[in-house]
Amino acid sequence: MSYLDQWKQKKNAKRQKFYTNHFHQTMESVPDSPLSTNLSENLDTISHQLGSTDDLVVRTLPLPERGTSAAVLHLNGMVEKEAISEFIVKYLTTTINESEQPAIHELEMSRTLRQVIRSILSGNTILLVDGKAEAYVASTPGWERRGVEEPRVESVVRGPRDGFTETLSVNTALVRFRLRDPNLRVRHLLIGERTQTGVNVLYLDGVVDPEILNEVMRRLQAIRIDGVLESGYLEQFIEDNHWSPFPQLQNTERPDKVAANLLEGKVAILVEGTPFALIAPAVFAQFYQSPEDYYERFYISVFIRLIRLISMFISLLLPSLYIAFSSFHPEMIPSRLVIAMTAGRSTVPFPSIVEALIMEVAIEILREASVRLPGPIGPTIGIVGALVVGEAAVTAGLVSPVMVIIVSLTTIGSFASPSYSTAISLRMLRFPMMLMAGIFGLYGIMLFLILILIHLAALKSFGVPYMSPISPIKIRDMRDLFVRLPLVKMRNRPSIYDPSDKTRIEGGQRP
Amino acid sequence: MTRGWCKKAVLLFMIVCLAMMTGCWDRRELEERTFVLAVGIDRLEGKKEMYKITAQIPIPIKIAGSGGQGGGSSGDAVRVMTTTGRTVLDAMNNLQKRLNQRVFLGHTRILAISEEVARRGTKPLFDAYRRDPTMRRLLWPVVVKGEAQTLLMTNPKLAQIPVVYIMDLIESGAKSGSIPDQTLGDFYIQTSSKGIQPFMNYVEASRVDVSWKGIAVFREDRMVGALDDKLSWVLMQLRDNQRGGDIVVPLPGKKGEYLTFRPHFAETQIEVKHNGGHMAHYTCVLQGDLIEITTEPDFMEKQNVEAYQKIIRQEMEKRAQKLIGKLQKEYRSDILKLGLWEKANHWDYWRKHDWQQVFSDFPIRVTYDIRIRRFGMEVP
Amino acid sequence: MNKGFRPSGNAYSTWQLTTIITSTLIGVGVLTLPRSASIALGEAGWISTIAGGLISMGSCWLMARLSRLFPGRSLVEYSPLVLGSSSLKWLGKVISFPLVLCYLAYLYIIAAFASRLFGEVVVTAVLMETPLEATIIAMFLLAAVLCQHDPQVVARINELLFPLIILPLLLLAVASFQKAEWNNLLPIFTFSWKDLFNGVMETTFSFEGYEVMFIFFAFAQGGAGKGTASVAGLGIAMLVYTLIVIAGIAVFDIDELQLLMWPTLELVKTTQVPGLILERLESAFLAVWVVAVFTTIGNVYYAFIYGLRQLLGKGIVFQRISSVLLLIPLFWLALQPQNLLELSRFNSIIGYAGAVFFGFYPIFYLFLSLLRGRKLHRQAGEQDD
C-alpha cells in the first residue's frame, strides 16, 4: 500500500467521523426504543422529542365504554381533518366491537418511538391507546397540493399534457398509469437527515441493466446531506463529474418522457416535493432529442431533430464565428457583404469581440429578467427590451446591425433546445468560445471545440460513455441518433444502456 | 480526487497562459483594413523601369444599403489611388504610406495589367502575389488595352462599385460561356506548365465604358498578341468545349444580309496521327439555334437546314483556320492545350521533340459539324 | 467518482484501432503531400502513395502480428520478455532499455517536428502576426490535456474526430475534380524503379506515425482484429492520400506543383463551392485540419508518455505530471529548425531513420519471439500469474 492510499484512507475515515458527529440532532438521534404501555408517558416522550412544537395537535379521548383512554396525534395542516374526525374519532367513540377496524385506507402498527415520530412528521395520524405498547398509524396525509397541470418548461406540440406535481405518490402513479407492467418496480428511499425526503427509484425489472441500477442505488444511498429540497440536490451528488458543464442526468417534468426512458432501460428517480424527475444514465443525445420525436411521423421528426441540431450549433458557435470571420478572416465573407459590414461597423467604437460580449451579456440579462418577471409581463418585456435596446444601440452606432442579427439568432437557437439545462450549458460555453475566437480566430474555435470533445469523450454517466453511440460507435443505435428511423424499424432498445431485454418491437410487422 | 485536481491545474495553467499572452495578434477589425478591390499595374510614363500601381478602394459608408449614413448619391463610392515603385510590392508599400489602415488584398477581384507591362513579362509582377497567402487564386487577371489605370478609373454608373461591374461582366460572360473563365490560378499553372501557354482576357476601357475585346495571347510569361472575340470563341470551343458567343454569318450572295447562330453545346475531339507525318485533327460539333435571318434565303425549302449548316460550317472553319494560323505562325504560342494532349498521349514523340519549336509547324486541321436544333418562334 | 465501475468498456474495438491509425497518419504531411509525392514520379505521383501505403501496411500488420503474441502488452512490456530469458530477466531489461528508449525518442521528435510544421503553416497562411510559439503552445496544451486521461479517452476522441478529418479531405478531392485537367495525369509509366524507390522515400513522412500502435495495440479488446485494423487504417489513409495527390496533379500539373509550398492548401484556394455563403474556404480548411494535426500530435505524445510511464513502472499520476513537464523540452525541440527548408531536411532524416528502424523493429522482434517460441509463452504466462 502506497503512501497515497494511506492518506486517502485516513481522509475518508476523518470525513466519516465528521458526518457522524454532525448529524447528531437529526432523526438518528431519536431513540429507537419501544413505546411504553402508559399513554401519558408516551405522549410526554413524543411531545418532548418534537420539542413541544405548537403545531402538534393532541386530542385525548376518554373511552369509558372500553375502560381505557386514547389519544390522537397529528401535525396541524398536514392531515386530512375530515378523515380523522369521520373515521378515527367516530370509530373510537362509537364502536364497541374490538375486531372492527376503522375505515381508513392504510393502517399500520408501530412499536418504536422513531417510527412514530417519523409517521407524525410525514403527515400521518397516530392513535395511542392506554395500556398498549403500540401505536396505530393511519395514513391521512392531506396538505394542500397542486393538481396535475401542463408542464411549464417542456411543452410539446403533440403529446400528453400532464406533468409531474410536487407529490411523490401522484408522480409515481402518473408513471404507473402509463406502464402497467408488473415489472415496473419502485424502490423507496428516505434521503436528507433533516428533510427525510421520500425518493422513489423506478425501473423496469428485466429491462434495466442491473449493474446500472445497483450503481444508482449505491450512489443514492451514500448521500449524507441535511436536506433535499429538489431533485437537483440529488443530481449534484450522484453525477460522475462535478466539474463538467454538461448535465449527466436528464431532468424532466413529463411522465411520458420518464415512461419512454424506463422502456429504454434507464432508471428514473422521483423526488418528493418537486415536479422534476431525474433520469439516469444520460448521454449527449439529450441535447436535441425530445419525446415528441417519437409521437410525430418519421419525416416530421427527422426534420425537427435536424433543426434542433442546427440550432444547437448556432447557439454554441455563431457569435464566435462572427468574431473569427470579421476580425481574422474577412476574406471568407463575400466581397459585397464585407463592404456592407464594414460600413455598419464604421461607427462602432469596440472591437467585434467586445461588441459581441456586451450584446451576449445583455441578452442573457434580458432572458434572466424575463424569467423573474411576473407571468404575462415577462415575454413582453423580453421582446420589447430586445427590440428597443437593439434598435437604439444600432441607431446610436454602438453596435453593428449584423451583430444584432447574430445575437438574436443565437438566443433563438438556444431556446430551440428541448431541455433547459442542456441549453444553458451550451450558452455558457459560448463565452469562452468567443474569447478563443478573439485570440486565434477560427483556429481558436477549433482548439476549444477539441477541448470540449476531449472532455466529452472522457465523460461518463453511470458507466455509459457520454458520447455513445457515436463513440464508442454502435451502428445499430445510430437508428435513433441524428435521424430516427420509422418506429417499425427500431426493433431493439439502445444497446448503450446494456438492457437485459433487447427487443422492443417484433420484426416483420406490416399493416 | 487527485485526478480532478491535476486536470484543473492544467486547465488553469492553460487559461493563465492564454491570458498572459494578451493575445489578439492577428485581430484586425473590418474597419481597420483597407479593402483593395482591384489593382492595376502600369509602367510609369517617362521612367519605364518604374511601376505605377493603381488601387481601387471602396468607401463603405458611401455604399447604399450599408446601414451607414444614407449613402449613395453623394459622390463616388470608391477612391482610386495611384503610386509608383521599383517593384510591385514597393509600390504597394508606398500606397500603404498614404493610407490610415492596412492594405488588405484578400478581396481583390480584378488584377489589371497594361498591354505594355504584359509584353515585358509577368513573372516579376506576380511573384509577390504568389507568395502572399491573402491573395486569391480565383481573381480575374486582365490585360487592358492602353493603360491599366483606365480600367480602374471608369465609372459605368450601372453599379456602385466599378470593379463589381467589371467582375460581374466577366462572371456572367464566363457563366454563359462567352468569356473564358481564366483565373489567376489558371494563369499561374499555364505559365509554369511546359505543355501549355497562358492567356488572359483582353479588355478595353474608357471613362464610362468597359468592354471585353477578346484574348491576350502569351508566350511563356510575355504577351505576344491578341485575338478578337470571334477567334477567342473558336479557341474556347476547341480548347474547353465552351460554346462561345453568337456567330453572325453573312449570307452568300446577298450583301448586307446576315444569319445568326447561337451555339448551345460544343464538343471537340482531338485525334493525333503519328503514322507517316504528324497531324492533329480537331472535330468540333456545335449544336445550337438559328436565331436571326435578316432576309429570305434563296434555296429550296427542303434543304434549308442543311444549307444553313453548310454556310455556318464554312464560316467557322475559316475562322478556325485563321486562329490556327495566327497561333502557329504569328504568336508561336500553344494556348490550345495541344502540347498537354501530346504529352499525355504521345509521350515518345513529346520526349524527343521540343514542343515550343515543333508547334508552329505541327499540322492542325479543324473540322466543324454544325447541328441546328431549333429556330425560335418562327418557321425558318 | 467511481473509477472502477464498468471496466469492460475500456478496451479498444477494431474500429477504434482503425481510427487511431488513420488519424495519427493524416496530419501535417497532407498539406505538402501532392508535391512530395510527385517530385520523383512526376505524373504518376499517386503510385508512390499507394506503394508507400502498402509498405507501411505490411509493417503495421507485422506489428499487429507481434502484438498478438503478447495480448495486453505494449512494446515496452514485451521487449524485455523477448530479449531476456526466464533465468536472466535483468539481461532482457538491459538490452531492451536502449531499444525502447530509441523508440520513445523517435515518437518525441515526431511530435515536436509535427507541431513545428503545423505552427509554420498557421503562421504563414492564416495568422501572420501571431507568434509561432503561441500556436505551438496552444496545441501542446491540448495534447497535455489529452494525457490527463485514460487510454480509453484517446480511442474515443479519435473515433469522434475521425469524420472531421476524413470528410473535408474527401470533399476537397471530389470538389477539385471539377477543375481538373485529366491529361495532366498522363503519361503514367514513365518512371524507373529507382524513381519509384525515391518517390516512396519522399512519402515516408506522410506515413509515419503508425508506430504508435506498438503502444496502442496493447489496449485492444480480446476479439478486436488488430490485423484488420492495421490494413483498414492504413488503407483509408492511403485512399485519402491517393485521392489528394491525384487531385493535386490533375489540377495543377506537376510543373506548377513543384512551385507550391502547400499544394493542398492551394487546392482549396482554386476550388469554389457554388452556392455557399462563405467565399474562400482555406481558413476554414486549415481550422478543420487543426483536428487532424491534433490527433497526430496528441496520439504520438500520448503514446510517448504512456510508454515512458510503462518503462519506468509508474502510475497515472506520473503520466499526468510528466506530460506537462515534458512539454518544455518538446517546445525547445520544436523551435530548433530555423526555417521550413531546414525543418523538412530534419523531417526527411527522421522519416528515413524511422522507416528503416521501424520497418526493422517488428521483423526483429517477431523473428526473435518465433525463434524462442513456446518457452517465451510460458515465461509470459508466469509473469501474468
Side-chain angles (χ1 to χ4, degrees):
Chain A
M1 187 156 43
S2 74
Y3 176 75
L4 199 72
D5 290 334
Q6 275 177 9
W7 174 71
K8 267 186 199 164
Q9 231 174 28
K10 228 184 202 167
K11 208 171 151 185
N12 276 339
K14 210 169 148 192
R15 188 185 295 168
Q16 203 61 44
K17 210 172 138 200
F18 170 76
Y19 281 127
T20 19
N21 289 340
H22 191 73
F23 288 118
H24 66 281
Q25 293 176 327
T26 58
M27 192 60 90
E28 306 289 320
S29 66
V30 177
D32 209 7
S33 58
L35 293 169
S36 93
T37 47
N38 188 333
L39 177 63
S40 57
E41 193 179 315
N42 278 341
L43 286 178
D44 277 352
T45 358
I46 292 172
S47 154
H48 171 72
Q49 286 297 339
L50 291 174
S52 40
T53 176
D54 288 339
D55 60 347
L56 180 71
V57 179
V58 182
R59 180 168 173 193
T60 357
L61 297 164
L63 299 172
E65 298 94 340
R66 303 186 193 186
T68 179
S69 61
V72 176
L73 292 92
H74 63 83
L75 283 175
N76 197 8
M78 285 187 72
V79 292
E80 217 176 322
K81 283 196 178 137
E82 259 174 42
I84 299 169
S85 53
E86 190 70 15
F87 301 111
I88 302 175
V89 178
K90 217 182 212 172
Y91 162 77
L92 287 172
T93 46
T94 56
T95 323
I96 315 278
N97 193 353
E98 275 272 335
S99 62
E100 203 176 316
Q101 296 266 320
I104 282 284
H105 202 61
E106 282 174 49
L107 192 68
E108 283 171 9
M109 303 296 284
S110 280
R111 287 198 169 73
T112 68
L113 189 60
R114 193 186 286 182
Q115 269 178 335
V116 169
I117 297 278
R118 184 172 281 163
S119 303
I120 293 180
L121 291 174
S122 319
N124 292 339
T125 306
I126 305 292
L127 173 62
L128 289 167
V129 182
D130 193 22
K132 281 195 173 179
E134 49 188 22
Y136 292 92
V137 178
S139 170
T140 55
W143 59 86
E144 286 304 313
R145 52 178 85 157
R146 195 165 62 94
V148 173
E149 283 170 23
E150 196 174 339
R152 294 281 295 277
V153 185
E154 291 169 278
S155 42
V156 293
V157 178
R158 178 172 177 178
R161 295 275 183 255
D162 55 344
F164 284 135
T165 68
E166 281 76 13
T167 320
L168 183 60
S169 53
V170 174
N171 292 351
T172 316
L174 281 173
V175 179
R176 234 341 150 185
F177 162 72
R178 287 185 165 74
L179 280 173
R180 287 170 199 166
D181 185 342
N183 291 317
L184 174 63
R185 301 291 148 81
V186 179
R187 292 281 168 267
H188 188 72
L189 299 169
L190 283 177
I191 300 174
E193 309 296 334
R194 286 184 191 280
T195 55
Q196 293 289 312
T197 312
V199 173
N200 276 357
V201 178
L202 274 67
Y203 61 94
L204 275 180
D205 195 29
V207 174
V208 72
D209 177 19
E211 243 185 282
I212 292 179
L213 177 68
N214 291 340
E215 183 66 19
V216 171
M217 292 304 276
R218 193 190 64 72
R219 289 190 194 177
L220 281 175
Q221 278 156 357
I223 296 175
R224 300 291 300 262
I225 187 178
D226 61 341
V228 174
L229 299 179
E230 218 275 340
S231 49
Y233 280 62
L234 298 185
E235 181 182 358
Q236 290 170 60
F237 267 89
I238 62 177
E239 64 190 357
D240 288 64
N241 186 348
H242 309 297
W243 304 100
S244 169
F246 299 102
Q248 294 142 61
L249 283 103
Q250 229 173 322
N251 65 63
T252 180
E253 43 178 342
R254 302 188 59 85
D256 57 325
K257 193 168 177 178
V258 169
N261 280 301
L262 289 178
L263 281 172
E264 285 191 345
K266 295 189 217 172
V267 180
I269 302 165
L270 306 181
V271 181
E272 178 82 65
T274 174
F276 287 94
L278 298 175
I279 298 166
V283 292
F284 187 74
Q286 61 170 313
F287 276 77
Y288 57 88
Q289 290 184 356
S290 146
E292 208 179 356
D293 296 353
Y294 307 93
Y295 305 152
E296 287 289 1
R297 295 186 58 253
F298 166 66
Y299 287 111
I300 304 170
S301 59
V302 167
F303 172 71
I304 294 177
R305 206 175 258 191
L306 291 180
I307 291 288
R308 284 202 212 105
L309 265 177
I310 295 169
S311 64
M312 192 175 90
F313 279 107
I314 285 181
S315 71
L316 179 65
L317 288 175
L318 196 63
S320 2
L321 285 179
Y322 169 76
I323 294 168
F325 287 157
S326 73
S327 39
F328 285 85
H329 318 285
E331 76 272 8
M332 289 182 70
I333 312 169
S335 300
R336 283 161 226 246
L337 182 59
V338 88
I339 296 167
M341 279 170 71
T342 314
R345 269 199 58 84
S346 55
T347 52
V348 181
F350 322 108
S352 58
I353 163 92
V354 178
E355 187 190 2
L357 279 175
I358 291 175
M359 286 302 281
E360 290 293 344
V361 169
I363 208 91
E364 287 297 311
I365 293 172
L366 264 174
R367 183 194 55 72
E368 185 63 20
S370 65
V371 170
R372 304 288 155 233
L373 279 168
I377 316 174
T380 331
I381 289 287
I383 294 164
V384 170
L387 279 179
V388 170
V389 172
E391 179 61 35
V394 170
T395 325
L398 285 175
V399 188
S400 65
V402 183
M403 192 65 233
V404 176
I405 300 174
I406 300 277
V407 170
S408 343
L409 272 180
T410 315
T411 315
I412 295 169
S414 77
F415 281 115
S417 172
S419 136
Y420 182 76
S421 53
T422 54
I424 204 136
S425 67
L426 287 186
R427 274 215 298 274
M428 258 161 22
L429 287 173
R430 194 169 69 194
F431 289 97
M433 185 76 91
M434 275 151 66
L435 285 179
M436 285 301 277
I439 298 172
F440 285 123
L442 272 181
Y443 170 56
I445 293 179
M446 223 53 215
L447 288 181
F448 194 67
L449 266 184
I450 294 176
L451 190 69
I452 293 176
L453 280 175
I454 296 177
H455 172 70
L456 281 173
L459 199 59
K460 278 185 172 187
S461 168
F462 293 89
V464 176
Y466 203 63
M467 282 311 274
S468 51
I470 312 168
S471 156
I473 202 158
K474 291 269 182 348
I475 301 284
R476 279 179 161 267
D477 290 1
M478 293 264 185
R479 293 167 187 207
D480 184 16
L481 187 64
F482 301 123
V483 299
R484 133 182 119 68
L485 291 191
L487 275 186
V488 186
K489 300 284 174 201
M490 286 169 30
R491 276 188 218 153
N492 297 324
R493 295 178 207 286
S495 63
I496 48 174
Y497 309 116
D498 225 346
S500 312
D501 177 17
K502 297 196 168 38
T503 334
R504 63 187 314 183
I505 291 169
E506 196 181 321
Q509 293 188 41
R510 279 179 187 285
Chain B
M1 205 56 210
T2 17
R3 182 182 169 191
W5 176 83
C6 214
K7 209 159 75 181
K8 264 173 281 165
V10 171
L11 275 175
L12 195 73
F13 178 59
M14 193 165 165
I15 291 163
V16 169
C17 263
L18 288 177
M20 294 296 271
M21 288 195 284
T22 57
C24 322
W25 301 274
D26 271 290
R27 196 178 52 73
R28 188 166 276 282
E29 300 299 330
L30 289 176
E31 70 274 13
E32 293 169 356
R33 298 178 197 249
T34 304
F35 294 98
V36 173
L37 287 182
V39 176
I41 306 171
D42 286 304
R43 288 276 168 183
L44 190 61
E45 208 61 45
K47 274 174 94 180
K48 287 290 182 191
E49 72 282 358
M50 295 280 277
Y51 287 105
K52 185 171 80 180
I53 297 275
T54 316
Q56 195 177 94
I57 299 159
I59 306 166
I61 45 168
K62 290 269 178 71
I63 312 283
S66 62
Q69 290 121 17
S73 54
S74 57
D76 279 344
V78 293
R79 167 134 198 242
V80 180
M81 296 174 90
T82 304
T83 50
T84 56
R86 281 159 299 165
T87 66
V88 174
L89 206 61
D90 189 32
M92 265 310 188
N93 290 338
N94 286 336
L95 178 67
Q96 182 66 70
K97 286 178 203 158
R98 293 165 50 197
L99 287 167
N100 60 341
Q101 303 290 6
R102 267 294 257 299
V103 167
F104 182 67
L105 291 177
H107 275 289
T108 308
R109 307 301 290 259
I110 299 283
L111 186 59
I113 51 178
S114 72
E115 198 172 329
E116 190 192 355
V117 173
R119 282 186 189 276
R120 285 191 179 201
T122 57
K123 273 230 168 87
L125 305 180
F126 288 166
D127 189 69
Y129 292 146
R130 288 194 69 142
R131 288 176 200 276
D132 185 356
T134 59
M135 200 71 181
R136 289 169 185 247
R137 272 182 93 94
L138 289 177
L139 61 82
W140 283 286
V142 289
V143 175
V144 184
K145 194 172 180 185
E147 285 228 314
Q149 207 179 354
T150 55
L151 184 72
L152 274 75
M153 295 286 211
T154 58
N155 189 359
K157 304 249 194 251
L158 289 174
Q160 273 198 324
I161 305 169
V163 174
V164 172
Y165 183 85
I166 304 166
M167 208 173 94
D168 289 347
L169 188 141
I170 300 178
E171 203 164 17
S172 71
K175 209 176 268 171
S176 66
S178 55
I179 295 179
D181 186 9
Q182 176 77 354
T183 61
L184 188 62
D186 296 331
F187 186 80
Y188 288 161
I189 294 169
Q190 291 156 7
T191 317
S192 44
S193 171
K194 291 185 191 76
I196 192 168
Q197 297 295 336
F199 67 90
M200 273 191 204
N201 279 310
Y202 190 54
V203 297
E204 191 180 0
S206 67
R207 228 171 54 77
V208 287
D209 263 323
V210 186
S211 64
W212 178 72
K213 283 289 166 202
I215 280 176
V217 182
F218 283 66
R219 187 165 66 235
E220 303 285 314
D221 65 326
R222 283 158 204 272
M223 179 174 163
V224 284
L227 300 173
D228 64 3
D229 50 353
K230 290 185 192 119
L231 297 188
S232 304
W233 291 332
V234 175
L235 179 81
M236 286 164 71
Q237 286 156 1
L238 297 184
R239 184 182 187 273
D240 297 322
N241 289 344
Q242 284 197 305
R243 65 181 190 89
D246 294 353
I247 300 158
V248 183
V249 189
L251 281 173
K254 297 209 170 182
K255 204 162 177 269
E257 304 292 350
Y258 297 96
L259 164 163
T260 311
F261 174 71
R262 174 171 293 168
H264 277 301
F265 304 102
E267 204 184 330
T268 306
Q269 296 206 315
I270 316 170
E271 208 180 332
V272 179
K273 295 193 184 88
H274 275 286
N275 43 343
H278 313 289
M279 156 102 136
H281 186 183
Y282 282 82
T283 320
C284 179
V285 180
L286 273 189
Q287 299 186 21
D289 303 353
L290 196 62
I291 54 169
E292 187 182 32
I293 312 168
T294 49
T295 182
E296 283 295 313
D298 286 345
F299 16 80
M300 308 276 288
E301 206 175 293
K302 260 188 186 170
Q303 296 141 345
N304 250 354
V305 175
E306 279 80 18
Y308 289 137
Q309 287 179 351
K310 194 180 158 205
I311 303 172
I312 303 166
R313 198 189 74 220
Q314 283 167 345
E315 169 71 15
M316 289 312 287
E317 283 176 358
K318 209 168 75 195
R319 288 187 190 177
Q321 221 47 56
K322 200 172 155 200
L323 170 76
I324 303 291
K326 270 201 163 182
L327 289 183
Q328 287 192 317
K329 305 296 177 211
E330 201 180 329
Y331 303 146
R332 291 193 288 116
S333 163
D334 173 23
I335 58 175
L336 266 173
K337 273 208 294 207
L338 187 60
L340 195 67
W341 209 86
E342 271 294 303
K343 180 181 137 202
N345 297 299
H346 301 280
W347 171 249
D348 283 330
Y349 179 83
W350 169 270
R351 201 176 39 175
K352 284 176 198 141
H353 297 80
D354 180 5
W355 183 250
Q356 292 267 43
Q357 303 294 320
V358 191
F359 172 70
S360 56
D361 297 319
F362 201 86
I364 299 172
R365 218 181 88 207
V366 182
T367 327
Y368 265 89
D369 183 357
I370 309 290
R371 292 178 192 167
I372 297 176
R373 291 292 184 202
R374 271 166 286 274
F375 305 91
M377 309 291 277
E378 200 185 18
V379 179
Chain C
M1 268 189 273
N2 182 11
K3 263 171 60 192
F5 181 52
R6 285 201 151 197
S8 61
N10 279 338
Y12 289 8
S13 65
T14 310
W15 175 244
Q16 285 177 330
L17 289 172
T18 311
T19 54
I20 289 181
I21 297 176
T22 310
S23 51
T24 310
L25 284 185
I26 299 181
V28 275
V30 77
L31 284 193
T32 49
L33 186 65
R35 174 160 52 91
S36 56
S38 60
I39 287 177
L41 288 184
E43 287 85 353
W46 50 275
I47 290 178
S48 68
T49 57
I50 291 184
L54 288 176
I55 293 170
S56 313
M57 205 184 273
S59 172
C60 193
W61 189 82
L62 285 177
M63 262 181 218
R65 190 80 232 303
L66 181 62
S67 160
R68 220 179 319 162
L69 292 178
F70 307 95
R73 285 161 200 260
S74 70
L75 173 77
V76 184
E77 286 166 316
Y78 59 65
S79 170
L81 291 184
V82 178
L83 296 169
S85 64
S86 46
S87 51
L88 294 169
K89 269 184 190 156
W90 61 271
L91 185 70
K93 277 187 184 156
V94 168
I95 301 175
S96 82
F97 192 80
L99 287 176
V100 171
L101 210 59
C102 260
Y103 167 69
L104 293 181
Y106 172 70
L107 291 183
Y108 198 60
I109 294 171
I110 291 186
F113 286 173
S115 53
R116 171 64 189 268
L117 197 54
F118 160 77
E120 286 289 342
V121 177
V122 169
V123 169
T124 30
V126 271
L127 303 176
M128 277 150 288
E129 321 245 314
T130 305
L132 177 73
E133 291 81 359
T135 58
I136 294 182
I137 287 177
M139 183 51 86
F140 279 172
L141 287 177
L142 268 191
V145 170
L146 182 67
C147 288
Q148 306 305 306
H149 296 95
D150 299 331
Q152 180 55 31
V153 177
V154 179
R156 281 205 221 112
I157 193 82
N158 277 290
E159 201 175 13
L160 273 178
L161 296 177
F162 182 74
L164 262 178
I165 298 168
I166 299 294
L167 288 182
L169 288 172
L170 285 182
L171 273 181
L172 170 65
V174 173
S176 57
F177 283 165
Q178 60 176 344
K179 275 252 175 185
E181 171 61 60
W182 297 107
N183 281 331
N184 283 339
L185 284 167
L186 295 169
I188 298 176
F189 298 107
T190 56
F191 54 87
S192 64
W193 287 108
K194 196 169 160 271
D195 290 338
L196 184 62
F197 177 76
N198 287 335
V200 171
M201 286 318 274
E202 287 290 343
T203 53
T204 49
F205 174 63
S206 311
F207 281 104
E208 79 185 12
Y210 66 89
E211 292 88 352
V212 294
M213 298 318 284
F214 268 135
I215 302 284
F216 287 128
F217 270 144
F219 308 122
Q221 253 168 29
K226 296 172 190 169
T228 321
S230 28
V231 172
L234 274 150
I236 295 171
M238 192 173 83
L239 181 80
V240 171
Y241 279 177
T242 310
L243 278 177
I244 286 289
V245 172
I246 289 180
I249 297 174
V251 170
F252 288 127
D253 192 9
I254 47 163
D255 301 314
E256 170 81 357
L257 210 50
Q258 300 310 317
L259 300 175
L260 299 173
M261 187 60 99
W262 316 109
T264 311
L265 202 57
E266 300 280 347
L267 208 56
V268 187
K269 274 183 147 185
T270 45
T271 316
Q272 208 167 23
V273 185
L276 207 67
I277 317 164
L278 300 171
E279 263 186 355
R280 293 174 55 185
L281 292 177
E282 63 262 27
S283 301
F285 176 80
L286 273 188
V288 180
W289 170 78
V290 168
V291 173
V293 176
F294 165 72
T295 50
T296 306
I297 297 175
N299 289 355
V300 171
Y301 192 62
Y302 194 95
F304 164 73
I305 292 289
Y306 201 86
L308 198 67
R309 167 186 160 185
Q310 283 187 328
L311 185 67
L312 304 177
K314 293 286 168 58
I316 186 90
V317 180
F318 170 82
Q319 175 182 336
R320 287 185 182 134
I321 294 169
S322 64
S323 70
V324 178
L325 291 182
L326 284 172
L327 283 182
I328 297 160
L330 191 67
F331 183 60
W332 175 82
L333 196 62
L335 291 182
Q336 281 318 294
Q338 188 199 334
N339 53 29
L340 260 179
L341 291 180
E342 199 170 295
L343 180 63
S344 63
R345 204 163 58 238
F346 284 179
N347 254 330
S348 47
I349 294 170
I350 285 295
Y352 293 155
V356 174
F357 212 32
F358 297 108
F360 161 76
Y361 253 52
I363 300 173
F364 170 71
Y365 276 105
L366 203 56
F367 179 73
L368 265 187
S369 21
L370 289 179
L371 203 68
R372 300 191 50 207
R374 195 170 288 169
K375 219 164 100 191
L376 189 66
H377 281 286
R378 212 179 313 128
Q379 193 185 331
E382 274 167 27
Q383 284 233 333
D384 279 341
D385 300 338

